[in-house]
Amino acid sequence: MNYLSELGHSFLHALKNLLPIVAVVLLFQLVILQQVPENSLAMAGGLLIVAVGVALFLQGLELGIFPVGKSLSNQFARQGSLPILLGFGFCLGFSAVVAEPALIAVADQAQQISNGRIDALTLRLLVAASVGAVTALGVFRIIFGHPIHHYMIVGYIVVVVVTFFAPEEIVGLAYDSGGVTTNVVTVPLIAALGIGLASSIRGRSPLKDGFGLVAMAVMVPMISVQLYGAWVYSQPAPNTELLTSSNEGNGNSVHPVLKGLLDLATMVRDVLPIIITILFFQYLILRRPLVNPRQVILGFILVIVGLYAFVIGLKLGLFPIGTSMAEQLIAREGYLLIYLFAFMIGFATTMAEPALLAVGKQAEEAAVGQINAAAIRLLVALGVAVGITLGVWRLVHGDPLHYYIIGSYILVIGLTLIAPRYIVALAYDLGGVTTSEVTVPLVTALGIGLASQIDGRNVLIDGFGLIAFASIFPIVTVMLYAIWADWANRRVKQESV
């Protein structure tokens, strides 16, 4: 009965968080475009399905993923074997990303737009291996207590240097590939690993040391994909006729029931590598049974069903309207409405991100009064809104992407040096949780749609990159707020003396 009560509370909470998206869509449709959506009933139904999916997903996290991640971290920390801990970190990072739906979508789009020069499977394996390696590196950092900002500053410098030598066709894709590695399953699981490990080691702080794994998982694929692109574009172009003929006949319609079963099977496939990794280390390495196995199994089932309902709801209710609105706005003269739409939809989609809800709650629990989850969500949503708007501005004006990205990273590095130490790791992680199942498809569609409609824009060069902006600027807004709050607290103390 307690589970049902918590599920009902999560459903109402999820419904409230989705209302900003609906409000933005209705504002533009009814007030600005002055058109009544043809599929308004589908949108309402999709909204309800999304809310149910988020509620099931969050309940599944609490029952299955969070306890297992923290339990494994605690057991490995007590065992004290560095090679096993690093191996677990690599396998967990790799398995969580290799079947990530957003990465699969971006990789497939990159292969189509590049006419086969970029291989989708190679790109996915490269990104997954990068995340696995950097997760192991993050575990190493937590064990030895190294400050996160040392790793991030060096990493961003490497990203900037590699960007100068990478071909322009790969830069936007590389930055987006980093952003899409973090989804609603990956983020909570990796965050649980870091927090559980930091909580188990004497002298480590769950807030300062436990967070940061997600940020590193976003950063390193940017480097590896740019290096991959430099190699790919130094090779002769493939035969596009063979690619075209091999893709013919793939447009056959599929029965809705069969399509639904295939989508559900995809969700199982997405979570299966994580389950295999957990069972392997639990039973073959630790040689111990799971605690509360029925609860854990129920949790994973709820996560799968919740993700399935979540994606179905988005497809039914929000994606069609978002796509049609983008086309209508592009068709109008002037770009002011596009900037306004980019800002508002960036804010609204971020407020609805399940991964942000989960990490915000974990941060509030780990911070013990220093962090307010609601305030963090508002700051992150504002950062995403500003970032996407700036990215759309760049796309419209045709400016080189790397100038904006390099300038943004310089700003982040500067803020890192003066921000309170307790907020740095969390701020970096919050930049990663903004690019998940809600934001990525809408933002990617907006970027590619704009690049294909504006004269003089190249879809591969200009269409990608918006996700990178959505990842960077939440770091800026959270750090700025922490710097201001720290200054205000010191000023109050000085006045009270």
Side-chain angles (χ1 to χ4, degrees), residues 7 36 95 100 204 221-222 267 282 285 289 344 349-350 354 375 388 392 394 408 413 422 465 469 477:
L7 187 61
V36 178
S95 63
E100 154 61 22
R204 302 291 175 267
M222 299 178 186
M267 295 300 162
Q282 183 72 52
I285 303 298
M344 296 182 70
T349 53
T350 305
I388 292 178
V392 169
R394 178 210 68 84
S408 301
I413 291 172
Y422 76 86
F469 285 94
T477 53

Side-chain angles (χ1 to χ4, degrees), residues 1 15 23 26 73 94 101 118 125 184 195 213 277 294 296 299 307 312 319 390 395 418 426 431 477 480:
M1 186 62 69
L15 201 59
L26 290 178
S73 301
F94 184 91
I118 298 169
L125 292 174
V184 289
I195 294 171
L213 287 177
T277 298
R294 292 184 179 179
V296 172
L307 278 175
I312 293 298
F319 288 167
L390 182 62
L395 201 161
I418 61 176
L426 176 61
T477 53
L480 284 175

Side-chain angles (χ1 to χ4, degrees), residues 106-193:
V106 169
D108 288 342
Q109 284 183 323
Q111 178 170 307
Q112 294 174 11
I113 295 172
S114 66
N115 293 322
R117 298 195 79 163
I118 298 169
D119 181 70
L121 180 59
T122 302
L123 184 65
R124 286 172 50 202
L125 292 174
L126 178 64
V127 172
S130 300
V131 173
V134 80
T135 302
L137 181 63
V139 169
F140 180 87
R141 178 194 71 82
I142 294 173
I143 292 173
F144 289 95
H146 298 160
I148 180 66
H149 60 279
H150 292 170
Y151 286 75
M152 297 305 297
I153 290 174
V154 171
Y156 281 142
I157 292 173
V158 174
V159 170
V160 169
V161 171
V162 172
T163 299
F164 276 107
F165 299 97
E168 59 179 353
E169 292 89 352
I170 202 69
V171 173
L173 173 64
Y175 286 125
D176 281 1
S177 296
V180 301
T181 58
T182 49
N183 74 343
V184 289
V185 176
T186 311
V187 168
L189 190 58
I190 292 180
L193 170 64

